[in-house]
Amino acid sequence: MTSVWKSVVIGSLLLPAPGTISLAQNQLPVPQVERSRPLPSTPPASSQPPAAAPSPQPESEISAEAAQRHRQLVQADHLHQQGQIVPAEALYRQAKDPFRARPEPPARPQPLQDPAQLPPAGRVYWREAQAGEQQGQSSRVQVALRLLTQEYPQFIPGQLHQAAALQQAGQTAEAVTVLERATALYPNQPQLVQAQVAAQVAAEQWLEASITARQFALLHPDDPAAPELRQQADTQLQRFRSALRKKLTGQAIAGALTGILSYGLTGSIAGPVSSIQITALMLQGESTVGRRVVERAQRQLKLAEDPELVGYVNELGQKLVQTAGRSDFEYEFYVVLDDELNAFSLPGGKVFVNTGAILRSRSEAELLGLLAHELAHSVLSHGFLLMTQSSFVENVSGGNLLAGLATLGYTRHMERQADLLGTRMLASTGYAADGLRNLMVTLQQQERRAPLTWLSEHPGTEARLQSLETLIQQNGYNRYTYEGVSRHAEIQARVRQLWADHLAAEAQRRGGKKRPETP
């Protein structure tokens, strides 16, 4: 593997797929702690106690405490499959440590809609802003609203009026910033999200507007505003495509485009590409980008071909597809023979996971959490959005498009969005909802022993762990339910053998005689 792949450790996990459910049908049911629905595709339960399952690591490499935890989870999974939910939950609780005690964050004021609920100073600012509006004094309005939203950000009408005043004054970018800040504080307020979408549209940020609308609709499917925002997500995505197409209608570009578009079918995406080639590929949409780049990835990367392993990962991934909320992608899951703990996604629902990630995850729930995070990036069009930025085009032009896509630098906001949606998708499958969180804890512990690339590239891991724990607790997501330990351990044993065979073949190809050790 080249160094670029070694450095992409969970390029989106954090830690940085066509579906079957339409947006209108996607309700994302979330299991609560008191109940857990059966898993339709787990192996049929036996009435006999489970046989001794293989440990996730060789016995010599795990502690007695870890071995005991493994046995408890195996027994709990067996009880869960038998429908004995209460004793299974008791065992899950024994095997899992409680979330770590943390200082309580400052309480965020509850959102306000009525000016009468504002403190006296807030009511003065509000009256001053209204007086300025009546007298057509724009600067007076903006000063009053700026003071109001700074001191009382929980007053939603103040945020909306400040954004509207900025737009009216032609300060569209500032309006978008105000609303982005407001929705970060109060993401459950549909009025703010709708205003943010409108401001992004006014700023001609159509793809950003699509992502904003889609995220709210996916995370709040029962909100009355969700259907309208789902429609907005699709509408603004189409507007973005139309705007992109217009950029290519110039006389000089049009002539070159005729010959360039054909490269999508026959050209070498793995080789150097030009900015116009990247733009032409984007014009064909996310699904085409993902499909074409996958064709190159199948030639560049050493992909696992073992039917049992590939089928296992695809089975887990397809469980997430049912909750993804987008039916315009052809979701596909691939396994890369590489010992790094790494996963990445491409536009259009294409997800790649390394064998190293399978070996370091301790259950199906943890691996599923990783896949869910990656899938969330794809569903929310994060990679496609970054492709549209000039910095991406400049950095990749003349280089390797596949490597450029796999090493996309997601923003902290994108990572948080993928954490939220990925965890909700995981909880909706019926697996333990703390899978992603637990994998992050394992990786954080490993980082203390030997620094990992992804941690240096994704600061704020502790804050994200806290965010995930708060998300699970506040939403009542069930972390004391099915883990999928036994089958995962069997797959891990298979992966270790496949990896040993791979290394032996590599050594033989290079003229070596000694069989390398497995990781």
Side-chain angles (χ1 to χ4, degrees):
M1 303 291 278
T2 60
S3 59
V4 65
W5 300 109
K6 292 287 185 180
S7 68
V8 185
V9 183
I10 309 186
S12 61
L13 178 65
L14 333 199
L15 339 245
T20 57
I21 297 179
S22 69
L23 287 173
Q25 294 170 325
N26 177 38
Q27 296 300 312
L28 285 173
V30 178
Q32 300 299 310
V33 174
E34 295 77 8
R35 300 184 62 187
S36 176
R37 66 174 182 267
L39 304 175
S41 55
T42 54
S46 167
S47 60
Q48 299 298 319
S55 298
Q57 295 174 281
E59 288 292 342
S60 60
E61 298 181 13
I62 63 174
S63 65
E65 181 181 357
Q68 172 64 13
R69 175 186 183 276
H70 178 73
R71 288 191 292 270
Q72 287 177 319
L73 291 176
V74 168
Q75 181 64 24
D77 282 345
H78 177 72
L79 291 172
H80 186 279
Q81 289 178 306
Q82 291 290 324
Q84 300 182 50
I85 304 302
V86 174
E89 180 177 320
L91 273 176
Y92 287 126
R93 289 181 180 275
Q94 290 179 29
K96 292 187 173 187
D97 293 329
F99 288 158
R100 289 167 290 175
R102 306 173 189 269
E104 286 291 328
R108 182 173 298 167
Q110 290 296 312
L112 299 178
Q113 298 286 346
D114 187 354
Q117 296 177 302
L118 282 169
R123 292 198 294 271
V124 170
Y125 294 143
W126 182 241
R127 287 197 298 269
E128 180 70 9
Q130 289 182 310
E133 287 180 352
Q134 292 173 358
Q135 297 175 23
Q137 298 174 332
S138 175
S139 59
R140 180 181 178 185
V141 171
Q142 291 196 37
V143 169
L145 290 175
R146 184 170 63 252
L147 292 170
L148 176 61
T149 56
Q150 285 177 351
E151 296 185 28
Y152 307 102
Q154 68 269 33
F155 184 51
I156 306 302
Q159 302 279 11
L160 296 172
H161 275 70
Q162 184 184 16
L166 288 168
Q167 284 184 268
Q168 189 173 4
Q171 302 176 49
T172 306
E174 291 81 353
V176 171
T177 300
V178 165
L179 290 165
E180 286 177 346
R181 186 167 55 242
T183 53
L185 289 172
Y186 297 99
N188 300 335
Q189 294 294 311
Q191 288 176 292
L192 290 177
V193 175
Q194 290 168 326
Q196 183 180 352
V197 170
Q200 288 170 326
V201 170
E204 298 186 356
Q205 298 176 1
W206 296 295
L207 185 54
E208 291 89 337
S210 175
I211 293 173
T212 299
R214 195 179 306 282
Q215 182 195 5
F216 184 91
L218 288 173
L219 290 174
H220 308 279
D222 296 326
D223 191 282
E228 178 188 343
L229 286 168
R230 279 194 290 267
Q231 181 61 47
Q232 277 279 16
D234 293 338
T235 298
Q236 301 312 325
L237 182 58
Q238 289 301 321
R239 291 189 69 180
F240 166 77
R241 290 173 179 168
S242 297
L244 186 62
R245 187 174 294 110
K246 288 179 181 178
K247 290 183 179 180
L248 299 177
T249 56
Q251 189 69 30
I253 294 179
L257 184 60
T258 303
I260 289 171
L261 285 176
S262 64
Y263 98 98
L265 294 173
T266 61
S268 175
I269 297 176
V273 293
S274 69
S275 58
I276 192 171
Q277 285 177 318
I278 296 172
T279 307
L281 185 60
M282 287 192 298
L283 180 60
Q284 299 177 68
E286 295 172 78
S287 294
T288 300
V289 170
R291 186 167 59 252
R292 298 299 180 234
V293 180
V294 162
E295 292 172 1
R296 303 303 108 185
Q298 291 172 325
R299 300 175 186 177
Q300 268 192 269
L301 303 178
K302 181 63 178 179
L303 299 180
E305 298 179 355
D306 180 71
E308 185 174 348
L309 172 59
V310 175
Y312 173 72
V313 172
N314 184 65
E315 177 192 323
L316 294 181
Q318 293 303 325
K319 292 177 182 179
L320 295 168
V321 168
Q322 305 304 313
T323 70
R326 292 191 71 171
S327 58
D328 54 329
F329 291 163
E330 183 178 356
Y331 298 93
E332 295 175 336
F333 300 85
Y334 299 89
V335 180
V336 183
L337 282 172
D338 193 299
D339 62 340
E340 294 283 359
L341 200 164
N342 182 12
F344 67 91
S345 60
L346 298 176
K350 316 301 184 185
V351 177
F352 293 75
V353 60
N354 277 9
T355 49
I358 298 173
L359 289 175
R360 288 171 177 81
S361 54
R362 297 178 297 179
S363 68
E364 291 182 7
E366 290 192 10
L367 180 58
L368 203 60
L370 171 57
L371 295 175
H373 180 98
E374 295 299 334
L375 199 58
H377 277 301
S378 193
V379 167
L380 292 173
S381 301
H382 286 162
F384 197 58
L385 173 61
L386 292 177
M387 281 187 70
T388 68
Q389 299 177 356
S390 59
S391 58
F392 174 85
V393 175
E394 292 169 0
N395 290 335
V396 174
S397 295
N400 189 320
L401 180 57
L402 172 57
L405 283 169
T407 56
L408 285 172
Y410 294 114
T411 66
R412 291 189 182 187
H413 181 58
M414 289 177 175
E415 295 292 357
R416 176 171 171 76
Q417 286 180 324
D419 283 349
L420 296 177
L421 181 56
T423 295
R424 182 178 177 84
M425 291 165 65
L426 172 62
S428 299
T429 65
Y431 279 85
D434 57 355
L436 176 61
R437 177 265 179 194
N438 292 340
L439 183 59
M440 289 182 65
V441 170
T442 300
L443 297 178
Q444 190 180 50
Q445 293 169 347
Q446 184 175 340
E447 158 66 7
R448 296 191 181 108
R449 298 191 296 270
L452 292 171
T453 305
W454 71 263
L455 283 177
S456 65
E457 294 178 351
H458 296 84
T461 304
E462 183 65 26
R464 297 181 70 179
L465 276 172
Q466 181 173 353
S467 176
L468 283 171
E469 292 177 3
T470 300
L471 174 72
I472 292 168
Q473 291 174 320
Q474 289 184 347
N475 288 278
Y477 295 166
N478 194 356
R479 63 183 297 240
Y480 303 112
T481 187
Y482 192 75
E483 284 279 345
V485 171
S486 293
R487 187 167 65 137
H488 190 67
E490 293 171 359
I491 290 293
Q492 286 178 314
R494 191 174 187 87
V495 169
R496 282 194 294 272
Q497 184 60 52
L498 290 171
W499 180 251
D501 293 342
H502 166 67
L503 291 182
E506 286 292 303
Q508 185 175 13
R509 183 178 63 83
R510 294 170 183 166
K513 297 181 180 180
K514 184 178 178 180
R515 183 185 181 93
E517 295 181 359
T518 58

